Amino acid sequence: MDDIRPRVPTRPVRFLDKLRLHMRESGLAFATERTYIHWVRRFIHFHGKQHPQEMGPAEVEQFLTHLAQQRDCSVNTQRIALNALVYLYQRFFEVKLDDLTFSLARTPRRLPVVYSRSEISAILSHLHGVSRLQVQLLYGAGLRSAELLSLRVKDIDFGSNNIFVRAGKGNKDRTTMLPQSLVPELKRQIQRVEILHSGDLADGLGEVYLPDALARKYPRAARETGWQ
């Protein structure tokens, strides 16, 4: 799954594994880690797979200019690529990137598209089952897609009518409202999960990924229904 951190050796040998380990020790969110690794990898391939330690500000400027002039990237995309390379050099290599000179992206920002109630109703009319419930949660609870897909059973609090979002944007936790109209279907979905989970446990399976070091602190938690 895309939201599960790949394992990194405690004493990594490969460059990208070393960089991943540094990001985790620095407390970066997994979404940030994944994005930075993506841009560092693109930077390396752009320069013919040359090791980043053998390059410097000039190569960073060339890559960022290429994104703006040849790839027609947006302002935000170029900024994210810059942030990834600044992390690589200034925090990982401890090499300063002062006074970079590169062509700035000119693609204007666009306002996000927000669907009206009638448009959402039209979309929902074509959906059924879990897919419909997912879209209803996205729209009714204001969840991002990554937040929706990483929800656990324990994050749904029917008593306080809240949904707890863990490690959302900026690696921050938050709460959002639980739409009352979705409570019956959510409870039915959790019952289905419990049945499936019981079958998985009977087959010797049923463990899920746990964030941070929770798997070491609570060895049995990965098999509990609340973490499904």
Side-chain angles (χ1 to χ4, degrees), residues 5 20-30 32-33 87 91 167 170-172 212:
R5 292 179 188 256
R20 281 194 179 95
L21 183 60
H22 187 275
M23 292 179 183
R24 294 180 191 185
E25 291 176 344
S26 299
L28 267 64
F30 178 50
T32 303
E33 172 191 323
Y87 182 95
R91 295 190 61 180
N171 201 28
K172 296 178 181 179
D212 304 321

Side-chain angles (χ1 to χ4, degrees), residues 31-154:
T32 303
E33 172 191 323
R34 186 171 51 193
T35 300
Y36 282 10
I37 291 294
H38 166 80
W39 283 109
V40 169
R41 185 180 282 116
R42 285 188 61 172
F43 173 67
I44 292 171
H45 280 268
F46 176 75
H47 287 291
K49 297 185 178 180
Q50 189 175 356
H51 197 287
Q53 208 160 14
E54 299 173 357
M55 298 186 280
E59 287 78 11
V60 171
E61 292 173 350
Q62 291 171 16
F63 178 64
L64 295 174
T65 296
H66 164 76
L67 293 178
Q69 294 183 349
Q70 275 72 50
R71 304 298 296 178
D72 294 323
C73 72
S74 68
V75 174
N76 285 339
T77 297
Q78 189 185 46
R79 184 178 293 117
I80 291 170
L82 172 61
N83 290 343
L85 297 178
V86 167
Y87 182 95
L88 172 66
Y89 280 97
Q90 296 194 169
R91 295 190 61 180
F92 185 66
F93 289 140
E94 297 184 350
V95 174
K96 290 187 176 181
L97 291 178
D98 294 333
D99 301 323
L100 290 175
T101 303
F102 56 89
S103 297
L104 297 175
R106 298 295 182 184
T107 305
R109 295 184 179 182
R110 303 295 184 188
L111 291 175
V113 176
V114 180
Y115 291 116
S116 65
R117 295 184 67 177
S118 60
E119 289 171 327
I120 287 293
S121 296
I123 292 171
L124 290 174
S125 67
H126 295 281
L127 298 175
H128 306 279
V130 175
S131 298
R132 179 184 175 92
L133 179 59
Q134 288 177 320
V135 173
Q136 287 175 312
L137 279 171
L138 285 173
Y139 184 73
L143 297 175
R144 299 179 178 89
S145 57
E147 294 171 345
L148 168 74
L149 296 174
S150 61
L151 278 180
R152 314 277 186 148
V153 172
K154 66 179 185 59

